[in-house]
Amino acid sequence: MELQADVAIIGGGVGGVSAALAALRAGKRVVMTDPTRWLGGQLTSQLVPSDEHRYIEDDGANASYREFRDALRGYYRSHFPLTETAKADPHLNPGHAWVSPISLDPRVIVNVIEELLQPYRSADRLVVLMESEPIAVETSADRVTAVTVRTAAGVEHALTAPYFLDATELGDLLELGGIEHVAGRESQEMTGEPGAWPTADPTDMQGVSWCFAVDHLEGEDHTIDRPADYEYWRDLKPHQLDGRNILSMGNDLDATGQPVRPDGTPGKRWSLTPNLDDDVIDLDHRNMGAWNELWNYRRIAARRQFTPGFYRSDVVVVNWPMNDYVGGPLFGVPDAAHHWDQAKALSRALLYWLQTDAPRADGGTGWPGLRLRADVAGTEDGFAMYPYIRESRRLQALHTIVEQEVSTTYRGEGGAERYPDTVGVGHYFWIDRHHTTGDGRGTGGLPHPFEIPLRSMIPVRIRNVLPACKNIGTTQITNGCYRLHPVEWSIGEAAGALASYCLDNATEPHAVVESTTAVAEFQRHLTERGVQLRWDDSKRW
């Protein structure tokens, strides 16, 4: 079956949804696909409903993203029995998590996304193919002419459109269409980055996490069946962790009770206190002591925010250091399917370890009252529909963003690079590089609030494909701060708006970016949409 549209968006994650809204609001007809049953990607099917952004409440986001966040809070005020204090809080945080100013149930996010899209579904201007993945891309003369997707039921659809947006979590269109891209770590010679490795390795990628949600019911036993491979994971000491067990509360304690690494240097140790009720919310990420507590780290429902008795327990998402899978990448290697399976197996073993063998502060082991919340994940096995992807294939763009353009180490107090062709802004607490599937972990550091250059969204060759999520022209290092939720939303909006702008003005992305006049006109168009193009000079890390 052939489906035609003005803009075809492959991938329904954060960037894909934002891109679709931008194109739809510009009067375009859109077809969008997603491999799961939920739109929203990181926010929903991957169970990472957080936007970790130091300034997010009053700066650094497009009007459309603020509308989205307001709708999330409004949904709670309209549908949940909040306390009067929580209901009146303009910065309502249902999960009261210290890592995010708005952490909440992914099912609420799904509902709000559907509400935003429903008018366009009703008007037959939006077609969404769920549980559908791209399997083939047709090209001609440096243009993509069609993308074939296959549904879970085996039905194939040929999608045709003047513009295709790659909003897949792993940059699938880049690979299938033979569009120039990179993966894994680059070398210093490739990028000129001081923090890059001397050698490149396209299979050395940040680990993924297969998330799940739990609550804790004291006095009850919700221990899952012992996984057949539990001993393997319990005893595993990946070389990336320098001799530490992956299933552990971090580094061991020395004779004085301080965490210490195997080499004797100071380390980090985490704690878990089910249903901890405290006032620590460290949205600035400067109170490092708060980092040790896992329970309120990514909590998505805090009982204190709701009328007494409504929740039997807090609900937390387990996206913790223990389920960062570093055994191998999910693409680019012959045994990729094995690593998909192993990533989930690690999380299953982690749950069992938490219920049975994890050390408690009182000297005991395990919390059998931890209950897997399959309903929160929307799956039968209780684990997220899709692993949390930190690193994708990345477009070879007209400009590649390097660490010298954003890092406080190299920019000092001067702020991030100001791009003449900025199409949005973003920020993250860190240039966050988790342990990788190869040699471990590279340098990171702190990023200044940064801009998104249009040139980093334009392929070096293909004329009608745009990246719409974490697959823009970054390096492995700068991907560490450009990959988060609010940034991906801004990238998606810029991509959807650019495709629509080109259709309306009979031009194409390369022509826009090559003309200072056209760039300025497109920027005016974005500003009218409520897109923030720059930070004011006071915003520094």
Side-chain angles (χ1 to χ4, degrees), residues 454-497:
L454 180 60
R455 289 164 295 159
S456 295
M457 298 179 59
I458 309 299
V460 294
R461 178 178 60 85
I462 292 290
R463 314 296 287 188
N464 69 331
V465 173
L466 296 169
C469 54
K470 63 177 70 69
N471 53 359
I472 66 170
T474 58
T475 64
Q476 187 184 59
I477 294 176
T478 55
N479 165 75
C481 58
Y482 274 78
R483 65 177 169 83
L484 273 295
H485 309 62
V487 188
E488 187 169 311
W489 183 283
S490 295
I491 293 168
E493 182 162 6

Side-chain angles (χ1 to χ4, degrees), residues 57-362:
E57 294 296 357
D58 56 20
D59 201 358
N62 296 349
S64 61
Y65 191 67
R66 298 206 176 282
E67 173 192 351
F68 174 60
R69 295 176 89 249
D70 289 345
L72 295 175
R73 285 174 167 148
Y75 193 98
Y76 271 86
R77 293 189 180 101
S78 299
H79 294 80
F80 284 74
L82 298 168
T83 65
E84 291 303 315
T85 300
K87 186 179 295 186
D89 185 357
H91 296 161
L92 171 64
N93 188 351
H96 201 69
W98 63 254
V99 78
S100 169
I102 180 167
S103 54
L104 65 162
D105 193 307
R107 294 168 292 185
V108 171
I109 303 173
V110 171
N111 286 338
V112 169
I113 288 173
E114 291 299 327
E115 287 181 358
L116 289 172
L117 294 176
Q118 186 56 51
Y120 305 102
R121 291 180 187 266
S122 297
D124 194 29
R125 291 178 45 211
L126 170 66
V127 174
V128 180
L129 301 175
M130 301 305 295
E131 297 185 272
S132 300
E133 299 192 65
I135 59 172
V137 172
E138 298 178 22
T139 63
S140 176
D142 292 339
R143 299 183 71 85
V144 168
T145 56
V147 173
T148 300
V149 299
R150 179 184 294 143
T151 70
V155 178
E156 294 186 4
H157 298 272
L159 311 183
T160 59
Y163 284 97
F164 293 88
L165 275 51
D166 186 346
T168 61
E169 298 297 331
L170 295 173
D172 296 332
L173 235 58
L174 303 180
E175 173 71 17
L176 290 170
I179 301 169
E180 290 79 3
H181 65 275
V182 296
R185 75 166 195 254
E186 301 97 336
S187 66
Q188 288 181 347
E189 182 180 1
M190 292 170 65
T191 68
E193 294 173 302
W197 284 72
T199 59
D201 183 350
T203 68
D204 187 9
M205 306 175 197
Q206 287 196 71
V208 302
S209 298
W210 212 303
C211 303
F212 56 97
V214 295
D215 58 12
H216 182 263
L217 303 179
E218 186 67 40
E220 298 185 12
D221 189 345
H222 294 277
T223 305
I224 64 172
D225 292 338
R226 183 184 181 95
D229 57 357
Y230 176 64
E231 288 80 4
Y232 168 78
W233 295 109
R234 182 196 61 195
D235 301 335
L236 180 65
K237 298 180 178 181
H239 70 86
Q240 295 93 332
L241 303 187
D242 300 322
R244 175 171 60 80
N245 286 81
I246 191 166
L247 297 186
S248 72
M249 284 295 183
N251 298 116
D252 292 330
L253 302 179
D254 64 15
T256 67
Q258 297 302 308
V260 61
R261 294 189 178 92
D263 62 4
T265 59
K268 180 188 290 185
R269 191 167 179 84
W270 303 289
S271 63
L272 179 62
T273 313
N275 288 311
L276 175 68
D277 190 15
D278 62 22
D279 292 314
V280 176
I281 297 185
D282 179 31
L283 302 183
D284 201 18
H285 273 48
R286 293 189 175 184
N287 178 6
M288 298 301 289
W291 282 60
N292 293 335
E293 178 53 56
L294 293 170
W295 185 260
N296 57 14
Y297 176 29
R298 294 189 181 275
R299 183 170 50 192
I300 59 173
R303 293 175 301 167
R304 63 183 294 168
Q305 302 288 56
F306 304 88
T307 55
F310 185 69
Y311 276 93
R312 297 175 65 192
S313 164
D314 294 347
V315 182
V316 303
V317 164
V318 178
N319 173 18
W320 298 346
M322 303 87 153
N323 60 338
D324 275 9
Y325 175 75
V326 294
L330 301 190
F331 65 88
V333 293
D335 59 345
H338 171 72
H339 297 303
W340 283 79
D341 292 338
Q342 290 294 93
K344 184 181 285 190
L346 169 59
S347 287
R348 187 178 296 109
L350 169 58
L351 173 59
Y352 184 79
W353 179 79
L354 290 169
Q355 293 171 324
T356 60
D357 288 338
R360 300 195 310 260
D362 63 5

Side-chain angles (χ1 to χ4, degrees), residues 328-443:
L330 301 190
F331 65 88
V333 293
D335 59 345
H338 171 72
H339 297 303
W340 283 79
D341 292 338
Q342 290 294 93
K344 184 181 285 190
L346 169 59
S347 287
R348 187 178 296 109
L350 169 58
L351 173 59
Y352 184 79
W353 179 79
L354 290 169
Q355 293 171 324
T356 60
D357 288 338
R360 300 195 310 260
D362 63 5
T365 58
W367 290 270
L370 288 174
R371 178 176 61 157
L372 183 63
R373 290 294 300 270
D375 57 324
V376 174
T379 59
E380 291 185 4
D381 67 4
F383 296 87
M385 296 178 185
Y386 205 83
Y388 174 37
I389 306 297
R390 295 185 176 90
E391 188 173 324
S392 168
R393 299 176 179 91
R394 302 183 297 280
L395 178 73
Q396 281 193 17
L398 297 181
H399 176 76
T400 299
I401 303 163
V402 295
E403 66 175 329
Q404 302 95 306
E405 297 171 14
V406 300
S407 171
T408 60
T409 302
Y410 306 106
R411 304 293 299 183
E413 296 298 321
E417 184 80 15
R418 293 175 69 91
Y419 303 109
D421 58 342
T422 176
V423 291
V425 298
H427 185 51
Y428 185 40
F429 293 114
W430 309 107
I431 299 177
D432 190 18
R433 301 177 69 198
H434 286 232
H435 291 293
T436 68
T437 58
D439 288 333
R441 188 174 191 171
T443 57

Side-chain angles (χ1 to χ4, degrees), residues 41-52:
Q42 295 183 68
L43 288 166
T44 58
S45 59
Q46 296 177 37
L47 281 188
V48 190
S50 309
D51 53 4
E52 304 162 37

